[in-house]
């Protein structure tokens, strides 16, 4: 009997890669996909998958928060672009992780490892993973290096007003200048402190300290930044923004 698989990632492209790679495993059957943390909790408990591919950073709830809230505990392979602190903890557990971008061969290794693991051991490994990752993944860089022409510029993260996706790249906007990073916005969001940076759209991440005002108009909610740029808030990220409202 085929094992049931649930794919959880807020990036369409990331889910597509997993779907394509799973085509090599006849013993695995995809039963659903999710792009939001809270939706993931509901889907895991309702569908009771045997295996879950779970992104670390998502709107609503992070991957760690998801596994802390689920009742049904499946085998889990984390998929993430965040390679500091947390991944060192992942590496000590039999439940695997995939560091984006990953190859088909690396994918095969992770799946093979999980398929050989009994359910009770998977539950214990997930518990250990949460405990270790929670204690290790709490430090974020206060300064980052981004390309500026033929050199790297040292930027203090507090100076970033917002970040904007530009295809496979990300533009970082500050008061004086903007910079184009070679990393996609899905990678960068996992390297910024979530206490200060909030994703409001697939294309935008905003520094909370630089939110000037939020207002509603006919076609949705808009955030106005400290440099007077209006950014649209997508419906799937509205709950994250509402958590800041009192």
């Amino acid at each position: 009997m085929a094992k049931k698989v649930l794919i959880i990632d807020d990036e369409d492209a990331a889910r597509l890669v997993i779907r394509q790679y799973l085509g090599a495993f006849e013993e695995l059957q995809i039963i659903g996909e999710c792009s939001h943390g809270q939706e993931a909790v509901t889907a895991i408990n309702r569908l009771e998958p045997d295996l879950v591919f779970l992104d670390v950073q998502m709107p609503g709830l992070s991957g760690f928060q998801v596994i802390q809230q689920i009742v049904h505990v499946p085998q889990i392979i984390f998929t993430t672009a965040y390679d500091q602190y947390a991944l060192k903890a992942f590496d000590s557990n039999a439940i695997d992780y995939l560091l984006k971008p990953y190859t088909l061969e690396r994918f095969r290794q992770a799946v093979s490892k999980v398929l050989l693991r009994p359910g009770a051991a998977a539950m214990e490994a997930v518990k250990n993973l949460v405990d270790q990752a929670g204690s290790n993944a709490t430090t974020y860089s206060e300064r980052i290096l981004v390309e500026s022409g033929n050199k790297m510029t040292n930027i203090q993260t507090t100076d970033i007003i917002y970040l904007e996706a530009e295809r496979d790249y990300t533009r970082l906007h500050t008061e004086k200048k903007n910079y184009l990073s070679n990393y996609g916005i899905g990678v960068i969001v996992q390297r910024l402190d979530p206490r200060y940076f909030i994703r409001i759209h697939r294309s935008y991440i905003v520094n909370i300290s630089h939110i000037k005002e939020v207002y509603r108009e006919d076609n949705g909610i808009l955030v106005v930044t400290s440099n007077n740029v209006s950014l649209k808030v997508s419906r799937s990220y509205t709950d994250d923004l509402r958590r800041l409202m009192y």
Side-chain angles (χ1 to χ4, degrees):
M1 183 176 179
K3 287 183 176 290
K4 298 182 294 183
V5 178
L6 184 64
I7 303 172
I8 303 171
D9 198 301
D10 66 328
E11 299 286 344
D12 293 338
R15 297 198 304 274
L16 175 60
V17 168
I18 295 174
R19 288 200 305 271
Q20 292 176 336
Y21 283 178
L22 282 173
F25 294 87
E26 296 181 355
E27 64 268 52
L28 298 177
Q29 176 188 4
I30 300 173
I31 59 171
E33 297 182 11
C34 302
S35 60
H36 190 280
Q38 193 59 59
E39 176 189 11
V41 173
T42 302
I44 291 173
N45 289 334
R46 178 173 60 86
L47 299 175
E48 297 188 346
D50 300 299
L51 172 62
V52 171
F53 288 89
L54 181 60
D55 190 16
V56 173
Q57 285 284 351
M58 297 179 292
L61 297 172
S62 70
F64 299 125
Q65 291 171 323
V66 167
I67 61 177
Q68 288 171 339
Q69 295 189 24
I70 57 178
V71 176
H72 170 75
V73 181
Q75 293 177 292
I76 292 176
I77 296 177
F78 278 93
T79 59
T80 179
Y82 184 61
D83 60 354
Q84 297 176 345
Y85 308 111
L87 295 192
K88 294 179 182 178
F90 298 169
D91 203 33
S92 65
N93 291 274
I95 297 297
D96 213 338
Y97 70 89
L98 293 171
L99 178 61
K100 302 173 183 177
Y102 46 83
T103 64
L104 175 57
E105 180 58 31
R106 180 66 185 89
F107 184 88
R108 288 176 181 271
Q109 292 173 4
V111 171
S112 297
K113 184 186 297 185
V114 174
L115 289 175
L116 293 173
R117 194 171 189 94
M123 184 181 297
E124 183 62 24
V126 170
K127 179 181 181 299
N128 293 337
L129 183 59
V130 176
D131 293 342
Q132 293 183 44
S135 64
N136 284 286
T138 56
T139 303
Y140 297 87
S141 299
E142 295 182 359
R143 306 191 71 90
I144 59 175
L145 293 174
V146 295
E147 289 190 26
S148 179
N150 61 351
K151 63 182 179 181
M152 302 295 288
T153 301
N154 191 329
I155 299 177
Q156 190 163 330
T157 56
T158 54
D159 290 338
I160 300 173
I161 298 174
Y162 71 97
L163 301 93
E164 179 181 11
E166 291 191 6
R167 296 193 176 184
D168 295 332
Y169 304 95
T170 304
R171 190 166 297 279
L172 289 70
H173 295 265
T174 68
E175 184 177 354
K176 297 180 180 180
K177 191 175 180 180
N178 62 70
Y179 306 87
L180 187 65
S181 169
N182 287 328
Y183 288 96
I185 198 167
V187 174
I188 291 182
V189 70
Q190 298 184 60
R191 299 181 178 183
L192 295 173
D193 193 334
R195 294 177 300 173
Y196 306 110
F197 289 89
I198 180 173
R199 193 164 186 177
I200 62 170
H201 191 278
R202 290 181 61 84
S203 299
Y204 302 120
I205 300 170
V206 178
N207 186 337
I208 295 171
S209 301
H210 287 282
I211 293 179
K212 183 177 179 181
E213 60 186 12
V214 178
Y215 67 92
R216 185 185 298 275
E217 60 177 22
D218 293 340
N219 62 344
I221 298 175
L222 294 177
V223 165
V224 181
T225 62
S226 59
N227 60 340
N228 294 315
V229 174
S230 296
L231 303 173
K232 185 174 182 179
V233 181
S234 68
R235 188 171 301 175
S236 59
Y237 291 93
T238 301
D239 288 344
D240 294 344
L241 184 63
R242 283 175 177 160
R243 292 189 180 91
L244 301 177
M245 301 177 183
Y246 291 89

